[in-house]
Amino acid sequence: GEDFDFAKRLCKAYNTCIYNPKAVVYHMPKEGLWKIFQWFKRRGICEIYLVRMGTNGIGEYFFYNITRSLVIRLMLLFLALSLIGAHNLLLYAALFISYYFMSIHRFKKYTMKFNNIKITLLLPIVKLSMDMGMDWGRILGPCLLLKDIINKKI
């Protein structure tokens, strides 16, 4: 996220960029779910700028978002469930709990390395913060992109 943003601002300021494949970027550790959310929101926004450079129109862009966005997929699932009359709070709670345990299972190889129950239990919550931040950035990205196009910054 910020790597792309930083490079974009540098190129704009100096009208040239030099690529160094050996360059290394160090990130400060994020302290708290809100900072993780904000970091991934920036990544989602920058991803939209990158996708715009490589897609062939709005349809391809929406397909990209639907296939990668947890929030959009959950919204479509909830819409489908509400259309068939499933307005049960327990069903939504069961979906969240299943997401939680699928995340634990998905990242089991990483959590087993640390052998720490707190990491195992918190990882799905951190992952959800990351997914939601990324998706919020994907939602904000087109708005900011349109604003840049209108202001002729792109």
Side-chain angles (χ1 to χ4, degrees):
E2 57 270 6
D3 304 336
F4 174 77
D5 184 49
F6 180 66
K8 183 179 158 194
R9 285 187 282 130
L10 272 177
C11 290
K12 186 175 180 180
Y14 295 105
N15 292 325
T16 186
C17 280
I18 299 171
Y19 172 70
N20 181 353
K22 294 180 182 178
V24 176
V25 176
Y26 293 97
H27 295 279
M28 298 297 292
K30 307 297 180 244
E31 295 178 8
L33 293 176
W34 180 247
K35 290 194 178 188
I36 291 170
F37 177 87
Q38 291 293 323
W39 179 36
F40 274 84
K41 181 182 83 172
R42 285 191 308 273
R43 291 184 69 185
I45 290 169
C46 292
E47 182 181 87
I48 295 307
Y49 281 83
L50 291 171
V51 168
R52 179 183 179 266
M53 290 182 223
T55 59
N56 295 322
I58 200 82
E60 190 174 332
Y61 165 75
F62 281 115
F63 178 76
Y64 176 87
N65 258 339
I66 288 171
T67 57
R68 285 165 182 77
S69 171
L70 171 71
V71 172
I72 292 173
R73 284 182 284 170
L74 285 177
M75 286 172 42
L76 291 173
L77 176 65
F78 290 150
L79 177 65
L81 290 172
S82 65
L83 289 175
I84 63 170
H87 298 288
N88 190 338
L89 189 58
L90 289 175
L91 176 65
Y92 297 138
L95 287 172
F96 177 77
I97 291 168
S98 62
Y99 168 82
Y100 184 83
F101 284 109
M102 284 189 305
S103 293
I104 287 175
H105 179 70
R106 181 177 169 203
F107 296 106
K108 188 165 61 172
K109 65 181 178 187
Y110 303 112
T111 58
M112 297 302 271
K113 215 171 24 173
F114 298 106
N115 199 19
N116 184 330
I117 192 71
K118 277 183 14 183
I119 291 173
T120 301
L121 295 176
L122 287 175
L123 186 65
I125 296 167
V126 172
K127 178 68 173 121
L128 184 61
S129 298
M130 293 162 57
D131 289 344
M132 290 176 69
M134 190 75 154
D135 289 341
W136 184 242
R138 288 175 177 148
I139 291 167
L140 285 178
C143 301
L144 297 173
L145 185 64
L146 184 60
K147 182 178 142 195
D148 284 353
I149 291 169
I150 290 169
N151 294 331
K152 300 197 186 316
K153 292 182 180 177
I154 294 181

